[in-house]
Amino acid sequence: MNYSLNASDFQQKKIWDLGGDFSGSSADGERISFTNYYMMKNGEPFYGISGEFHYSRMDASMWEDEIAKMQMCGINIVSTYVFWIHHEEEEGCFDFTGRRDIRRFLELCAKYGMYVILRIGPFDHGEVRNGGIPDWMYGKPFEVRQLNEGFLYYTKRLYEKIAQEVKGLFLKDNGPVIGVQIDNEYMHSSAPWELTTGVSNEWLFKGNEGDAYMLKLKELAAECGLVPAFYTCTGWGGASSPESMLPLWGGYAFQPWLFYSYQGEHPSTKEYVYQDLHNNEIPKSYNFEPNYQPEDKPYACCEMGGGMNCSYYYRFVLPYKSVDAMANIKIASGCNFLGYYMFQGGSNPVGKHGAFLNEGQMPKISYDFQAALGEFGQVRESYQRLKAIHYFTAAFAKQLCGMKTVLPKGASGIDPKDLETLRFSVRTDGHSGFLFLNNYQDHEKMPAKEEETVEIRMPRETIVFPKISIAGDENCILPFHLDLQGIDLVCATAQPVTYMEINGELTYVFLRPDGMRPEFVFEKGASVNGGAAQTYRVDETAQADTFTVSKDGVKRTIICVSRAFANRMYALDQKGFLFTDAAVMVRDQAVYIETEQARCDLYAYPKDLLSEGGFAFAALKEGWEGCPQGFGRYETTAQEKSIPIEVKEVAENRYTITLPKDMTDGVKDVRLRIEYRGDIGHAFIDGKMIHDNFCNNAPWEIGMRTFAEALKDCPLTVYITPLKEGAKVNVESAMAARIEEVESCVGK
C-alpha cells in the first residue's frame, strides 16, 4: 500500500530559553538548562534519558554494577524515590545506613557520570505502604498532604534530614543531582491506608490545595538546602504542576490498577499510536492534557512503562519489545527526554518489626517490575533492545532535538485494534529528518507489513521510501538526508545507531530491523566501496555487513548489523564496539563481563579492540565463517561450577531447598529458578520471608548471594499457596469458628 505525509508547508518551531527556574551551573562552569523543547548541556542540545532505580529496594553491595549496566545502556540520568517510611519507620529514628545510604548511592552515580533526579516526597507512591508516608503520621492530629502547621513541621524535618545526607552533591557543588521532584501525583493519586487493609476500603487523602501546596513544599525544600538546577512535578491526570516546575509525563500500556475494581480483558491502549505532543494546535491528546500550552514546555517523561509489576488480580508476562516500541513512539511524538519506570527492579525491605513496607495488592517483597534490569541484576531483552535507541539519541541529539513532529492525516486517531494500517511519523527540520515506524501494539499480535511505500512531501522535494517491510512487533527509525559529516545519506532503510572515530576514520553503525531489506542511497558523486554506485544493498544473511562510502576526499566506514547483533552491541567510548550475550560493565577503565556461561564469545570492531591494555580477559581467535571485514572474535572461559541442591517436600505445597555452603565461592551470584503452578510462591529462611512471587507462569528467580550466610545454617523453605476453586469460608458455628472450604487446589 502507498502512504503519504505532507510536510510541504513546514514551519520551523519557535524555541526559547526557559530561564532561571530551569537552569543551573556547577562550580566548574558546567551548565544545565532547558528550552521550551529540549534540555541543554553547556548550551548544546542534550537528550536526557532517565532510568528509575530505587536504592533502598536493593542490597547496597549490588548498586555499583547495576549503575554501570545502566550507563552501558545509554542511561544518563538516574531517578530515585526517597521513601520516607524506609528512613523513618519509627518516629524520630532516622536510618540512612546500608541499603538506605542515599549519599553512597549518589556518589556512585557521580562516579559513572550519571545525573540524578531526587524524588523527595513526602508522598511518593511507588507501590510502597501508605505511598511512602510512615504509619505513625496518620495518628497525628492533622491531615497529611495539606498545608497545616503539623504536616509542614514533619515535612520540613524530613527535608532537612535528606539535605544533611546529600549535602555537597548538587550540581552547584559539582555533584550529580540536577533535579528534585516535589510530592508525586498531587491531587491525582493516592494509596490505600495499609493500617486497615483487609478490614475497610480506606484511602489516603490525595490533596486539594493545588499549586499553593506544591510551591510551599518547593520553598521548604530550598530552605533546607535541596537546591537543584530545576524542580519537577507530575504532569498527568490533572495533578498540580506549577509554572516554575518541569512537568514530567509517561504512559503505561499494562495497567494492573484497572483490576482493583474490574474483571475482564485488559483493553488495547493508544500508547502505541503516534501523537503530536508539542503543538499548540493540539492542546490535548491521549493521556496528555496539560494545564499549559504544549509548546511552552518540553514534552519530557519520567514514567514510561519500562516494565510493570504483577498485582494480585492481574498476572501477565511483559512483552519486552513493548519498551523500546514505547520509546520510539515518544520520540516520534515530540519527546526529547525519555524516562523509564522502572529501569532497575528491586526488592522491598522488611520493616523493623516485621511489617511489610509495600502496598497490599503487590507482592510483599518482590518489586522486580519485569524491568530492563531485574531485581537480582538480570539483563532482559528490553535492556538489549533499548541500547540502540539510547545510543542514537546521544549521537544525533543536535540534529534530533530541534526537529518538529509531522504526522500523516489520521495518524493520531488510529484504533489500537487496527492492525493493518501502517503506523508512522516524521521528525524533520524541513530538509533532513527521521521516519519512525511502529509495528507493535499492546494486547494484540501485529502481523508483518510487506512492501509498503511511504512518500514524504517536503518543501523542496519528495522523499520516497519504497517497498518497506517490517516484522510483527518490530519498530524502527529510518533517516533521510542524514549528514555523515561531509557525505549526504539521502535515505536508508536501516536504523542509525551511533558513530565513533576509529583509527582516524569515522565509523557509523546502523541496524537492520527485523523483516526489512536494507538499502542505502547516497548523494550524487558519492562512491561506494571505491566504485561508481551511490546505492548499497546490505547482505541480509550476514550478522554484520561493512562497506565504505567516499566523496571529495571524505571517507566513511559503515557497519550494518542485524537486529539480533545490535542487541548484543556495547559502545566502548572512543575505542570501538563489542558484541556479546554477556552484560558488559566498564569500571575504573577496565572492562568486566557478567555471564551465566562458562565459555563466552565476544565479537569486536576493530579487530584488535580487546588486545590492548585493560582487556586481557579474552583471547583473540582467527576469524569465523562469514566474518565481516575488520571484526575479531574473542573467547573467554571460566571454570564451570556445579551447584547441587537437595529438594524435599516436607508438607503439602511446602518444600525445603538445601544449597551447599560454598555455593557462591568463585561466582558473582547464584540465581535459583523455580517453576511452579499455584497462586503465590513464598520463600523463607529460619521463619523469615525473604522473597515472594505472584505466579504468572514465568520462572520465579531469587538471587542467593544476599542470603548466602543465613543459608549456611538453614535451608530455604518454599511454600506455594495453591490456586483454589470454589473457595468459601464456613462460619456456621455457635462460636467464632471459621474454616476455609475449597473444591480443589493446584499448587506444586
Side-chain angles (χ1 to χ4, degrees):
M1 185 176 291
N2 294 331
Y3 294 88
S4 65
L5 180 150
N6 186 8
S8 59
D9 58 351
F10 178 86
Q11 299 292 321
Q12 294 287 348
K13 275 202 169 292
K14 295 180 180 178
I15 298 175
W16 62 86
D17 192 289
L18 288 185
D21 285 333
F22 303 93
S23 65
S25 299
S26 72
D28 291 339
E30 180 179 303
R31 181 171 176 78
I32 294 295
S33 60
F34 282 87
T35 71
N36 64 316
Y37 202 23
Y38 51 81
M39 183 177 176
M40 292 195 295
K41 180 178 178 179
N42 298 329
E44 297 286 348
F46 178 84
Y47 203 103
I49 304 176
S50 169
E52 193 83 12
F53 182 174
H54 298 158
Y55 60 92
S56 58
R57 279 176 155 157
M58 178 173 282
D59 189 273
S61 65
M62 297 177 63
W63 288 346
E64 183 164 4
D65 277 0
E66 299 311 291
I67 293 170
K69 288 178 189 174
M70 292 176 72
Q71 180 201 47
M72 291 304 294
C73 191
I75 300 293
N76 50 39
I77 301 170
V78 173
S79 178
T80 190
Y81 276 135
V82 182
F83 291 118
W84 187 357
I85 196 171
H86 288 184
H87 292 288
E88 195 187 4
E89 186 182 350
E90 297 175 324
E91 183 177 357
C93 299
F94 282 90
D95 185 357
F96 288 95
T97 63
R99 65 166 61 211
R100 296 167 173 83
D101 188 348
I102 185 175
R103 185 172 191 86
R104 180 173 171 237
F105 180 78
L106 297 184
E107 288 172 343
L108 285 172
C109 291
K111 177 179 177 179
Y112 288 88
M114 297 284 206
Y115 292 126
V116 176
I117 295 176
L118 283 180
R119 305 173 80 180
I120 61 172
F123 179 86
D124 293 327
H125 201 196
E127 290 70 60
V128 168
R129 185 179 176 91
N130 306 329
I133 295 178
D135 288 359
W136 53 265
M137 278 289 288
Y138 291 93
K140 298 294 182 181
F142 52 79
E143 182 62 272
V144 302
R145 301 183 85 188
Q146 199 171 62
L147 295 178
N148 57 69
E149 184 178 351
F151 180 69
L152 291 177
Y153 167 80
Y154 284 103
T155 299
K156 184 176 182 181
R157 191 181 70 166
L158 170 68
Y159 286 178
E160 287 172 341
K161 292 293 184 180
I162 296 171
Q164 289 172 14
E165 295 298 319
V166 303
K167 185 177 181 180
L169 294 177
F170 286 86
L171 178 67
K172 62 185 177 62
D173 312 305
N174 296 329
V177 181
I178 58 172
V180 168
Q181 178 179 302
I182 301 298
D183 208 86
N184 188 52
E185 301 179 325
Y186 185 69
M187 290 182 62
H188 165 64
S189 180
S190 183
W193 182 18
E194 299 298 333
L195 287 175
T196 55
T197 293
V199 179
S200 71
N201 192 27
E202 185 73 15
W203 282 68
L204 307 181
F205 182 59
K206 70 176 183 178
N208 61 4
E209 294 174 313
D211 289 0
Y213 171 88
M214 296 292 288
L215 291 171
K216 179 60 179 178
L217 265 59
K218 175 187 170 185
E219 178 187 319
L220 287 182
E223 287 177 7
C224 295
L226 298 169
V227 184
F230 58 94
Y231 291 91
T232 76
C233 61
T234 308
W236 60 84
S240 175
S241 52
E243 185 177 343
S244 62
M245 298 183 190
L246 180 68
L248 296 178
W249 300 85
Y252 297 100
F254 299 86
Q255 304 170 0
W257 52 86
L258 294 180
F259 296 89
Y260 287 9
S261 58
Y262 162 80
Q263 292 182 345
E265 294 296 319
H266 194 300
S268 303
T269 75
K270 291 193 72 172
E271 293 293 350
Y272 296 95
V273 175
Y274 291 112
Q275 308 289 331
D276 186 351
L277 301 173
H278 199 259
N279 187 339
N280 287 347
E281 295 180 7
I282 309 174
K284 296 181 180 181
S285 304
Y286 172 75
N287 208 17
F288 180 65
E289 297 186 8
N291 59 4
Y292 55 88
Q293 289 288 297
E295 294 180 44
D296 287 352
K297 298 276 181 71
Y299 182 81
C301 291
C302 66
E303 288 201 28
M304 294 159 48
M308 180 51 71
N309 54 272
C310 289
S311 69
Y312 187 77
Y313 292 112
Y314 183 45
R315 319 285 183 90
F316 67 104
V317 177
L318 182 85
Y320 291 125
K321 290 181 180 179
S322 69
V323 183
D324 64 292
M326 181 173 287
N328 175 300
I329 290 286
K330 293 295 186 184
I331 298 170
S333 299
C335 180
N336 285 322
F337 188 113
L338 299 177
Y340 303 97
Y341 188 102
M342 299 284 295
F343 193 85
Q344 171 68 65
S347 306
N348 290 302
V350 177
K352 295 181 178 179
H353 302 291
F356 293 107
L357 304 182
N358 68 327
E359 190 174 286
Q361 289 282 341
M362 302 297 116
K364 303 292 186 187
I365 293 175
S366 178
Y367 200 69
D368 176 80
F369 218 77
Q370 304 183 72
L373 291 171
E375 64 186 308
F376 298 108
Q378 305 97 314
V379 172
R380 306 271 167 65
E381 182 189 6
S382 47
Y383 174 95
Q384 296 170 323
R385 291 176 63 90
L386 282 169
K387 292 199 301 291
I389 283 184
H390 298 166
Y391 292 172
F392 164 75
T393 57
F396 300 101
K398 290 182 181 179
Q399 295 96 318
L400 175 66
C401 283
M403 287 180 171
K404 179 179 177 180
T405 295
V406 182
L407 297 178
K409 187 176 181 180
S412 62
I414 291 176
D415 189 316
K417 289 188 174 293
D418 177 355
L419 310 185
E420 300 302 323
T421 301
L422 185 69
R423 304 181 188 190
F424 68 98
S425 173
V426 162
R427 280 188 66 169
T428 181
D429 59 9
H431 170 66
S432 61
F434 301 97
L435 169 65
F436 293 79
L437 300 172
N438 171 49
N439 202 31
Y440 174 87
Q441 173 61 52
D442 65 271
H443 301 93
E444 304 289 347
K445 182 63 179 176
M446 293 287 276
K449 303 293 189 293
E450 298 288 346
E451 299 196 349
E452 311 275 20
T453 294
V454 176
E455 182 180 87
I456 306 170
R457 299 173 191 164
M458 301 298 292
R460 294 187 297 275
E461 65 177 323
T462 296
I463 302 291
V464 179
F465 287 85
K467 297 183 178 180
I468 294 173
S469 297
I470 185 170
D473 296 336
E474 180 66 294
N475 72 86
C476 66
I477 304 168
L478 307 180
F480 59 92
H481 286 307
L482 180 62
D483 180 13
L484 304 183
Q485 299 189 44
I487 299 176
D488 181 18
L489 174 57
V490 177
C491 62
T493 46
Q495 177 169 325
V497 178
T498 189
Y499 64 89
M500 192 181 294
E501 185 174 319
I502 299 173
N503 298 327
E505 291 187 358
L506 281 180
T507 297
Y508 285 78
V509 178
F510 288 74
L511 74 82
R512 183 177 80 241
D514 285 342
M516 196 163 287
R517 295 179 284 277
E519 182 176 86
F520 290 76
V521 179
F522 297 97
E523 63 177 307
K524 290 182 179 179
S527 172
V528 175
N529 286 338
Q534 285 93 49
T535 299
Y536 185 81
R537 292 179 177 84
V538 172
D539 181 356
E540 298 173 46
T541 66
Q543 293 184 94
D545 190 1
T546 303
F547 65 96
T548 61
V549 58
S550 56
K551 183 187 177 187
D552 299 334
V554 176
K555 182 181 178 182
R556 302 289 177 247
T557 297
I558 295 178
I559 305 171
C560 188
V561 301
S562 67
R563 165 65 81 174
F565 212 46
N567 290 351
R568 303 170 73 190
M569 188 181 98
Y570 293 86
L572 301 181
D573 187 32
Q574 300 308 311
K575 294 182 177 68
F577 305 101
L578 189 61
F579 300 82
T580 176
D581 288 327
V584 175
M585 297 163 281
V586 179
R587 294 178 54 175
D588 302 317
Q589 299 184 329
V591 175
Y592 295 83
I593 65 170
E594 178 184 294
T595 177
E596 296 181 3
Q597 307 300 320
R599 175 175 168 267
C600 181
D601 285 337
L602 304 98
Y603 304 91
Y605 185 91
K607 178 179 179 179
D608 60 355
L609 174 65
L610 299 186
S611 300
E612 301 176 357
F615 307 97
F617 60 80
L620 178 64
K621 302 296 180 181
E622 288 303 320
W624 71 94
E625 185 178 352
C627 174
Q629 179 183 351
F631 276 71
R633 180 173 70 89
Y634 292 75
E635 181 182 293
T636 182
T637 58
Q639 184 176 352
E640 191 166 351
K641 184 177 176 113
S642 177
I643 303 175
I645 64 173
E646 181 183 357
V647 181
K648 290 183 179 179
E649 185 171 6
V650 294
E652 188 175 9
N653 300 320
R654 193 177 300 271
Y655 307 83
T656 59
I657 301 175
T658 303
L659 298 102
K661 293 184 178 182
D662 66 346
M663 65 174 172
T664 57
D665 291 354
V667 297
K668 179 177 180 179
D669 202 351
V670 174
R671 291 187 192 135
L672 180 67
R673 290 192 177 103
I674 303 172
E675 295 187 11
Y676 72 100
R677 294 178 61 205
D679 188 13
I680 302 175
H682 313 262
F684 302 85
I685 300 176
D686 197 20
K688 296 180 180 178
M689 186 186 293
I690 57 100
H691 204 253
D692 57 343
N693 175 263
F694 285 178
C695 183
N696 65 345
N697 297 317
W700 171 20
E701 293 191 339
I702 313 174
M704 294 285 99
R705 175 169 284 280
T706 305
F707 312 110
E709 283 301 313
L711 287 169
K712 287 181 178 180
D713 299 319
C714 297
L716 186 73
T717 299
V718 172
Y719 174 62
I720 306 297
T721 303
L723 287 170
K724 302 172 182 177
E725 294 183 3
K728 65 177 182 178
V729 177
N730 187 341
V731 295
E732 296 175 0
S733 168
M735 300 296 287
R738 293 174 293 178
I739 185 170
E740 184 184 53
E741 297 176 345
V742 296
E743 293 177 2
S744 64
C745 292
V746 176
K748 61 179 180 179

